[in-house]
Structures are given as structure tokens and as C-alpha cells.
Amino acid sequence: MCGIVGYVGFREAYPIIIKGLKRLEYRGYDSSGIALLDNGSIKLSKTKGKVVDLENRAKDEISLNGTLGIGHTRWATHGEPNDVNSHPHISNSGDLVIIHNGIIENYAPLKKELINRGYTFVSDTDTEVLINLIEDVKKNDGLKLGKAVRVALTQVVGAYAIAVFDKNKPNEIVAARMGSPLAIGVGEDDKEFFIASDASPFIEYTNNAIYLEDEEIAVIRKGKKIKIRKISDDSIVDPYIQELQLNLEQIEKDGYDHFMLKEIFEQPNAITDTYRGRMLVNEGIIRMAGIDDNLERFLNADRIIIVACGTSWHAGLVAEYVFEELSRIPVEVEYASEFRYRNPIITEKDVVIAISQSGETADTRAAIQLAKSKGAFVFGVCNVVGSTIARESDAGAYTHAGPEIGVASTKAFTTQITVLTLIALKLAKAKGAISNSDYHMHLRELELIPEKVKECLTLDNHIKEIAVVYKDMPNFLYLGRGFNFPVALEGALKLKEISYIHAEGYPAAEMKHGPIALIDEQMPVVIIATKKGHYDKVVSNIQEIKSRKGKIIAIVNNGDVSVREIADYVIEVPETLELLSPLLTTIPLQLLSYHIAVMRECNVDQPRNLAKSVTVE
Ligand code: G6P
């Protein structure tokens, strides 16, 4: 993971880099650092901790001048998070500086070789090896910086997005990418350039961006056209400059205390944006170019395999129930990290759907590469436009949720379910697996979901009261059945991620095969008991919990009577079709985790040890 930012141009680099790093903190936040080039000398400041810690330190430690600089916010891979292991790293001569997002897998033999040649190392990082390798190549072969970086990278195995500068070249940064994202913002008339892990650090300066592809290296010089080459064979690549749609508002908190809360409250709009222009309710049409253009592939598929990680995997589980229910196509859902290494049977008649908010998750990328190598058709469901998975898939559909900054995923989950439901409905219609009236009823109900989500959001204060009661419990159990079983998993994941309370999600009926042994008066059980989801069975499960003194927080439909009599707390959500209910039942679970985490004074948007975009294995 890690976030990287760089600037070369006519403005002061420091404020641009610090602000950019703050926007990229979702990618890692255990340490950070900055290097500025000030009149031919490198000003370096780095520290364990967050970007604000860096700011406090840098102002006392270095002069903050310079129109060229690079900065880094880290999620440690090699070497614990401390001051020394923080980036940037400097080469032995003191001339070259690097920031790096990724992992150099063969750093150990490279380091050994460099030590034999007299290089010394101060950190435990793979990155310090890389900058000295570049220096070694540059010195031995008498190469310019861009060439030296390229040649050094041909010796490297692993993933990287890097930016490097030489203190003797005041207007030049070299950037390269393999496996980790890297965007270059191009200022007016090439007077300035920005480098970043995504476009958010430079969006207020320019809408023009180049996304480097894997295996590409760019030499960026103030006042000159960017030069891009292939790392492997040095061939020239024409830069493709695209115009970004992103705006500043979308990446700011807008009065909310946290991004997570803002994103929870954005869900009515986000879901509408997902189906807007695609679902024409009156005409009974669902338009999705990625499906329309490849309809035969889907209709002739022996099965659909869904690969994803984390919350996206939970959306995949919901989609399995929805696809099988509506379109009667067999579906398997796999953790991308398992799928990629377990020698799965994949054929040309399989359709693989990769779900990823960021579109950068390393395991999901590897899973789709494997699927493609076996001839399967790969369809990407991503949120980040232009992301790697979106580009590497054969076709796809964006969720259009807008930027999700909070590390705990919320609106990405509900919009993923929305887009997957649209696909399932479209395929069901094309296959004749759904009656006309059912099809139209589903469209009409889906259209009502944003209003019903709004109604769920009005429960916020009530949920806060429940959070006060249970915030200090050491464990939680989440139970759901059918379409709401994945919602139970997702609810438990949210609580774990942001409040550090141990929580498990289980299918309600499986409780009696193990988790029931855990139940006592210290065990809150969050159980989804909506009317249409095997209600009577779930009510029996609630009785079983009650008779063992468990505390029950039940998600029920408006006006529920039976569960109210037994549960400690009920949270009422509006009724909808059973297969759409996850879009509603998930909202109170997001809010419950959020409030518990805030009350426990946890860092909601940047929980410990996590990162939003996991670009390492
Ligand atoms: C990380 C994030 C999760 C996310 C998962 C998959 O673990 O913290 O919130 O669900 O990666 O990410 P993706 O971008 O592929 O959906």
C-alpha cells in the first residue's frame, strides 16, 4: 500500500505534498516523510506517525522551500514503522532520493550484492536497496537518471510505484510503475507536474492526468513534454492524457465528523447514481454496455465465479444469492487470495466477475490474470474509474459511488450490490428466467430503495443509544439467514475493523452448531429478522439466544410485534423484496459500528493496521 506524492513546477512543493499526503492517508498511515530540493540540497524530514506528526516535525527540522519535492505515507511491509524506515530514502552518495509504494521481492540478494560492493544501509527497507541499486547502475554505466532507473528496474522482481529525483537535476522527477497505481497530473503548458497514487492530491490544480500502465517509466521535466517508455525494452509510449471528472467537494468531509459517516449518509444518492441512466423503469429496460456487448458470453456461461476480498467479497456473496435466485446461473464466490493459489478449475465457458472498490487489490488482480490465462471472460465491478482492474478486465460496470475515503467500506458495498442486482435482473430477463411482472416489480422496488435507505438513516439517534449500552462488550455475534447472511458477515467485519471489538458473523441456523456455546449475558447478538427472510425460523433462533441470557439487538421490519417482545432492542427498517433487503439491513449495522467506534475513541477513518487499498499480497 502506501501513498506517494510528488511535485515539480513553479509553486512551493511543501504545502502541495502535505495536503496530498493527507488525502492519501487512507492508503497507509503508520509513518510519513518528505524530501524537498532547496537550492541544490535535499531537505529531508520523516517520522513514525501520521502526516500531522510529519508537519509538526518538518517545520522545526527543515526549511520548507523548494519547487520540487516528494512525500510518502506508509503502510509498513519491510521493517517496522519507525523514523528510519519511513520514506523517502536517500542513496549512499546523498544524491538520489526515492519514495516507493509496493514490495521488492528479490531485495535480499540485491542487498547482499550491494553490500559486497561497499554499500551500507541504515533502514530495514527494500526501498533503500532499490535507490542504491539505481545509484550503482547510474555510476557504473554512466547513465542519466531516467535510463539508470529503467535499467535498475529490469533487475527487480515485485511491485512498485516509485518517484526518484537527483539533487543535481533541479527540474526532474522520474516515476515508474509495476503493480501499484501511479497518476501524473499535467499542469498547463507543462509548467508543472504532479505525481500521486491517485488523482486526489492534484485535483484542484489540474484535471489532466496520465495513468501509467504497468512496466512504464516516465521522465518528468518542468517545461518539457513527458516522456514515457517501456521498462522492459525501452520502447517509446505515447502519453495518453485523460480529463478527470473528479471534483474537490467529493473528496472533502462536507461538515461530517468522519468520512465514514459522510459516506454512510451518501448512500441514497450513491445508489441512485449507480442505477441512473441504466435502469429505465417505465420502459422496463436495463442498459449496461458491458453486458449488452457480451450477452452471449454470460448466457452461455457454465457458471459465474466471483472473486473479491474483504467487503467486496461480502457483496459477492449477496450477489451469489441474487444471481441464482433471479437468473438461475450457478455462482461460486471465492476469496481472490485463495483462488489465485489453489489451482482452480477454470474453463473458457466461465465468466469471472471481479469486485473491487479500489480496482487495485493485488490478490483480486492476480485472480483475474489467472482467469484470463485460462480463457475465462473477466468482468470487473469497480468503483475507481480508470483503476487497474477496470482496465485489465474484458468488460465491466462501474459502481459510480464516488470516492470512498473511509477505510471501512460502506457505500461501495451497497452500490456493488445494486450494480450486481441490475446485472442479475438483466440476465434473468434475457434468459427468460423471470416473468415479466416479476421483472417489472423488481425494477420498481429497486427504484424505491434510496428513499428507504434515507428512512434507515433517520434511525441514527436510536442506534447511538444502543451503542452507548454495548460499546464496552468484548465480543459480538452477528446472525442472518439467506440474503442477509452476508450482511451479518459484513456487520461483524465493520465492528472489528473500526472498534477493535471481536465480532463474528454466522448464518443464524448454524448458531446451534457452535457459537451458541458462547452466549451469556456478556454477548450481544445482532440478528437480522426481517419479515420475508425465514422470519419464523429466525424468531426461534432469537428465543434460543434469549433463554441463554444473550442480549438481542434485532433488525426488523416496521411494525414488527413478535421480535419486539423478546429482543432487548429493535431497529425497524422499511419492508422491501427479500433479495433487496441487504441494501437496507446493512445501514443500521454500519451506523452501530460507527457509533461504537467513536465512543471508544477509535480512529474511525483510519483504523490501526488497515489500509483502504491493499496492493500487496
Ligand atoms: C481492504 C479494505 C477493505 C476492502 C478490501 C478489498 O482490506 O480495508 O475495506 O473491502 O481491501 O478492497 P477492494 O478495493 O478490492 O474492494
Side-chain angles (χ1 to χ4, degrees), residues 520-534:
D520 59 16
E521 59 281 1
Q522 284 294 302
M523 176 64 93
V525 182
V526 179
I527 185 160
I528 301 158
T530 42
K531 278 274 159 47
K532 300 203 179 86
H534 316 278

Side-chain angles (χ1 to χ4, degrees), residues 104 367 494 564 575:
I104 308 301
K494 285 290 85 84
R564 182 178 287 278
E575 271 193 61

Side-chain angles (χ1 to χ4, degrees), residues 309-312 355-359 361 364 407-409 416 497 610-612 614:
C309 303
T311 291
S312 297
I355 310 175
S356 175
Q357 186 286 129
S358 62
T361 302
T364 310
V407 165
S409 198
Q416 285 164 346
E497 280 180 316
L610 297 178
K612 180 114 196 108
V614 183

